[in-house]
Amino acid sequence: MRFLRREYLPHIWCVGCGHGIVLGAVTRAMERAGVDQDRTVVVSGIGCSSRAVGYMNMDALHTTHGRALAFATGVKLARPDLRVVVLAGDGDLAAIGGNHLIHAARRNIGITTVCFNNGIYGMTSGQYSPLTPAGYRTTTSPFGHLERDFDLCRLVQAAGATYVARSTAYHVHQTITYVTRALSHDGFSFVEVFSPCPTYFGRNNRMGEPVKMMQWLHDGTVQAGQAARMTPEELRGRVVIGEFHRTQEVPEYARSYRDMIARLAEGGDQRAQ
Amino acid sequence: MSQPRLMQGNEACVEGALEAGLQFFAGYPITPSTEIAEMLADRLPRSGGFFIQMEDEIASMAAVIGASLAGMRAMTATSGPGFSLKQENLGYAAITETPCVVVNVQRVGPSTGMPTSPAQGDVMQSRWGTHGDHPVVVLSPSSVLETYMLTVKAFAIADELRVPVILLTDEITGHMRERVVLPDPGTLPRAQRPRAGQAPPDIPPMEHFGEGRRVMVTGLYRDSTGFWTESPEEADRLVRRLAGKVESRAEQLTMVERWHLDDAQVVVVAYGCVARSAQRAVHLARERGRRVGMLRLSCLWPFPGHEIEAVAKRADCILVPEMNLGQIVGEVERAACGRCRVIGYHRVDSELIRPEELLPVLEGV
């Protein structure tokens, strides 16, 4: 609990929302990773999940919609000694902030990003997001969503992220493990966590009580190892969770920049002619 | 003593920023501002600072704010369309009281307009571009040397008042080369960010990330603890304080150059590149025995209404030449308040208003 500002609880999230579980997993991962709360900045954009940073007992930066990673890039470059963690929603990260996401991944800047993916815009009351699966109903796809959803993990991996994993609010221990590894990773690390939104996603799709949505997270997911042995037909409609990518072979951006400054200070590196 | 140098306006901006202690620059390429980014990409890492070319203008503004909150003096530079993109995060800097400098080398608009041609179309955008009520400080240089001076000044104001400061220059001032003798390093006044125990009553002390203070920074309305609030009283107090901290210092922020005002019947009010032509036109008219004068504005916002008022009390007419369809002329009319005639002269064809075309206007009124 030392990572939470208890005086500001209870939180604003709806009954049955998975965000509290994800935030709990993040704080437990911080405990496990030995995070120094005086040397950590949590950054978010706008949306339900982005309110998480307000409850965290450390430097917190609650920014404009979609821009958390761009703000975080400035913080990380200015203070590479600080741990920078972005907590953001799927609409925030993948729609308005999609460009910042791929470029932060491409730079491999040392920011840990946790995507609270509830597949919907909750704060604006239930419109479809880039992670709303095809066929589902939302207030802006009342006849069933026609667009396909992003596979955000594959997207950031292709863009250059060096730690990529996916879990759910149901698989709490797995989430804690992945976020712990992401926090200990040197480079751009990304963990997508499915989080149920009974109020908008669940109600629009007649999915029942919050517990039933938890059951849906359990039934609709398959572990990566198991998925490797399954046929495409068997995998259809199910989401693969697991650790997808982990490499330390790519240099972290802020440190590369500091190295360049050091080289220039020694006078050893002149501008390319 | 510094040696005379042939220098471009954008280059002077870079020199001024470095003199002011710039440590962080984030930008996105757009003419006619690109020289600023290019020079800083070379200079900043050599002096231990950071340059980053972000994926867009929005991200650049965001990164600048992030770096400033982490304790660095930070700046971005852009032009017309890029300035429009920065507006949302400019509002964020205003409400969070994050010191930073935004250079806008104005070009013709709206939209893509005529790239790399001069204009003065962003005067009102710089005042009201971001949504809501917010403080704003906008400086507008007319020469290469003044670009240097005002860049240094912009950082001092940003730090002292905890506000984003806009350096509103233009393609002509930015690309023009002039002989300049810069002041010796360290001789221009600089300011520190208000810290605990030293902050004036209307500006909260600046706490940076990583200092162990566990600060909460948010674009939401906040109470005195920094945590979000929906209290109407707190909201009112916050917005009025933000606007008031600049408005109450309007007189000390005012920067004008007065020329032949004592006996002037006609006074030209001008700023930016046009002020150079206007000054020449006033000189030519004076040679012909006309009683004309000039008031040059270096700080557009807060608007120096009292200076205009003083001029309007004595002159018969004020002429406001601008490379837009009338932005500052409206403010001049408001300040003159019917005390004298106010006439605008406007060009929006990308051509600089020249002394020889201004002279007959000046003599005709």
Side-chain angles (χ1 to χ4, degrees), chain A residues 14 91 164 204:
Chain A
C14 307
V164 182
N204 273 310

Side-chain angles (χ1 to χ4, degrees), chain B residues 23 50 85 92 140 205 279 340:
Chain B
Q23 295 161 292
F50 290 86
L85 288 175
Y92 186 88
S140 174
Q279 191 171 356
C340 75

Side-chain angles (χ1 to χ4, degrees), chain A residues 5 8 37-38 51 54 57 59-62 64 67 70-71 74-75 77 79 100 103 107 257-258 261 264 271, chain B residues 42 45 49-51 53 55-56 58-59 62-63 66-67 69 89 92 209-210 214-215 217-220 225 227-228:
Chain A
R5 295 181 195 259
Y8 293 116
Q37 71 203 103
D38 289 330
R51 291 296 183 99
N57 191 13
D59 287 331
L61 178 55
H62 178 234
T64 48
R67 316 300 171 197
F71 279 83
V75 175
L77 272 177
R79 288 291 302 268
H100 309 309
H103 288 281
R107 292 186 186 104
Y257 205 104
R258 295 262 158 179
I261 289 173
L264 290 167
R271 188 156 46 123
Chain B
D42 185 60
F50 290 86
F51 166 91
Q53 185 170 309
E55 53 272 16
D56 58 38
I58 299 170
L69 290 168
N89 283 339
Y92 186 88
F209 292 146
R214 300 178 193 171
V215 295
V217 179
T218 175
L220 290 164
T225 69
F227 203 79
W228 57 64

Side-chain angles (χ1 to χ4, degrees), chain A residues 34-210:
Chain A
V35 163
D36 177 351
Q37 71 203 103
D38 289 330
R39 304 180 67 76
T40 302
V41 187
V42 281
V43 187
S44 70
I46 297 292
C48 295
S49 60
S50 289
R51 291 296 183 99
V53 303
Y55 304 117
M56 303 198 73
N57 191 13
M58 52 193 72
D59 287 331
L61 178 55
H62 178 234
T63 68
T64 48
H65 188 41
R67 316 300 171 197
L69 276 164
F71 279 83
T73 297
V75 175
K76 184 67 185 176
L77 272 177
R79 288 291 302 268
D81 57 312
L82 299 182
R83 199 188 298 263
V84 180
V85 181
V86 166
L87 306 179
D90 48 302
D92 196 63
L93 269 180
I96 186 166
N99 203 29
H100 309 309
L101 178 64
I102 59 177
H103 288 281
R106 177 180 62 80
R107 292 186 186 104
N108 195 36
I109 188 161
I111 296 169
T112 296
T113 300
V114 179
C115 174
F116 292 51
N117 175 15
N118 56 10
I120 203 142
Y121 287 85
M123 196 156 269
T124 46
S125 67
Q127 299 77 21
Y128 66 77
S129 93
L131 295 186
T132 301
Y136 279 81
R137 290 174 195 276
T138 71
T139 56
T140 46
S141 59
F143 313 112
H145 192 38
L146 291 180
E147 300 173 16
R148 293 175 299 165
D149 53 325
F150 263 135
D151 184 330
L152 216 48
C153 286
R154 286 172 69 181
L155 179 79
V156 295
Q157 185 178 336
T162 46
Y163 181 88
V164 182
R166 180 190 286 137
S167 184
T168 82
Y170 175 88
H171 303 83
V172 179
H173 294 289
Q174 203 168 338
T175 304
I176 295 170
T177 302
Y178 293 164
V179 177
T180 306
R181 288 180 190 163
L183 288 167
S184 311
H185 183 79
D186 189 26
F188 188 78
S189 54
F190 182 82
V191 183
E192 178 187 350
V193 188
F194 276 91
S195 171
C197 172
T199 302
Y200 291 113
F201 193 95
R203 204 168 45 167
N204 273 310
N205 292 288
R206 301 180 188 282
M207 296 173 85
E209 299 292 303

